[in-house]
Amino acid sequence: SQQGEEDPQALSIQEGENATMNCSYKTSINNLQWYRQNSGRGLVHLILIRSNEREKHSGRLRVTLDTSKKSSSLLITASRAADTASYFCATALDTGRRALTFGSGTRLQVQP
Amino acid sequence: DARVTQTPRHKVTEMGQEVTMRCQPILGHNTVFWYRQTMMQGLELLAYFRNRAPLDDSGMPKDRFSAEMPDATLATLKIQPSEPRDSAVYFCASGLVLKQSGETQYFGPGTRLLVL
């Protein structure tokens, strides 16, 4: 089964609104990453948060990590039509194995 | 602007044929990953190399799939014989692993494979 599971599976909002996506995982992690995938393209790295960090910002992105709940959230503020994409969380286990396990993704649609 | 390149971008083949996908990782990266993406299964890790040595290929069907890194600038994923259920988008990603840190993975554009 997937290590990371995103919620919701799909999200539709209006331009200018904030979008929040959640990710839950099952085992101890070294870090958690968020990626974006535009239709027909490869994944693009957005942000990495380590297990000893609680919050991280990058431009309009804000990521939180709660290791006690094994969950993370990605907030996109003031969304734009160009933010329309699928967003995936990915976890790197705390075992030295650095391969990422991806969740099933959240499909975000930002209506202009 | 360094990026991961993959060839071919699209491949249509018939069941039973051999398929070879190639990837050029970003120069200086020491890890290479192969993923497969389908609507039903999402993104699945197939193989993982560090410093050209295979670290994990447990996600790969061993009887028909093989992954190699003949040199630091080339990774290959081969399917022989191909089957319709192998139809998917295959992504290569590379990264730089530093001790005790997580690495960002940089994805290629993918090879869209259709096996008829």
Side-chain angles (χ1 to χ4, degrees):
Chain A
S1 62
Q2 301 278 2
Q3 160 75 331
E5 293 294 338
E6 284 91 339
D7 168 55
Q9 289 189 338
L11 180 61
S12 182
I13 59 174
Q14 296 293 318
E15 211 166 25
E17 293 179 340
N18 295 341
T20 300
M21 290 160 266
N22 303 296
C23 169
S24 60
Y25 57 93
K26 297 176 182 175
T27 59
S28 294
I29 60 171
N30 175 282
N31 66 80
L32 185 145
Q33 304 180 33
W34 285 90
Y35 286 78
R36 182 186 73 216
Q37 184 179 32
N38 290 87
S39 181
R41 303 287 191 90
L43 280 75
V44 174
H45 179 262
L46 296 175
I47 198 163
L48 181 154
I49 187 165
R50 293 187 172 81
S51 60
N52 60 354
E53 297 176 312
R54 292 296 167 258
E55 189 171 312
K56 208 161 183 181
H57 297 254
S58 176
R60 292 183 297 112
L61 306 180
R62 173 178 168 252
V63 169
T64 61
L65 178 65
D66 186 335
T67 53
S68 66
K69 295 181 180 178
K70 292 187 168 59
S71 67
S72 173
S73 67
L74 170 68
L75 169 68
I76 304 175
T77 59
S79 63
R80 304 167 182 169
D83 295 329
T84 294
S86 290
Y87 292 81
F88 295 86
C89 72
T91 51
L93 299 183
D94 195 20
T95 59
R97 182 177 183 267
R98 288 291 184 252
L100 295 175
T101 303
F102 284 84
S104 52
T106 292
R107 290 182 300 281
L108 174 66
Q109 176 78 39
V110 181
Q111 307 283 355
Chain B
D1 184 23
R3 60 183 68 187
V4 176
T5 58
Q6 290 184 247
T7 57
R9 294 292 310 277
H10 303 271
K11 177 72 176 179
V12 180
T13 191
E14 292 185 345
M15 183 174 64
Q17 296 297 305
E18 178 179 298
V19 175
T20 298
M21 291 168 271
R22 294 177 175 80
C23 167
Q24 183 172 6
I26 292 174
L27 190 65
H29 282 185
N30 60 358
T31 56
V32 172
F33 307 84
W34 283 104
Y35 293 92
R36 176 171 62 185
Q37 186 177 37
T38 61
M39 288 295 292
M40 294 301 295
Q41 300 297 327
L43 265 166
E44 302 173 281
L45 177 70
L46 296 175
Y48 165 30
F49 291 80
R50 184 181 299 173
N51 297 320
R52 295 176 55 203
L55 285 194
D56 187 348
D57 60 1
S58 58
M60 212 163 61
K62 302 290 191 307
D63 56 337
R64 299 185 299 107
F65 284 61
S66 62
E68 295 178 347
M69 276 201 77
D71 62 61
T73 64
L74 177 64
T76 62
L77 180 66
K78 192 173 294 187
I79 308 174
Q80 168 63 18
S82 58
E83 297 181 0
R85 59 178 168 154
D86 301 329
S87 299
V89 182
Y90 291 81
F91 288 104
C92 174
S94 71
L96 178 62
V97 172
L98 301 174
K99 189 178 179 183
Q100 298 303 320
S101 71
E103 87 278 8
T104 294
Q105 293 187 19
Y106 296 83
F107 280 73
T111 293
R112 190 173 297 272
L113 174 65
L114 177 61
V115 183
L116 302 173

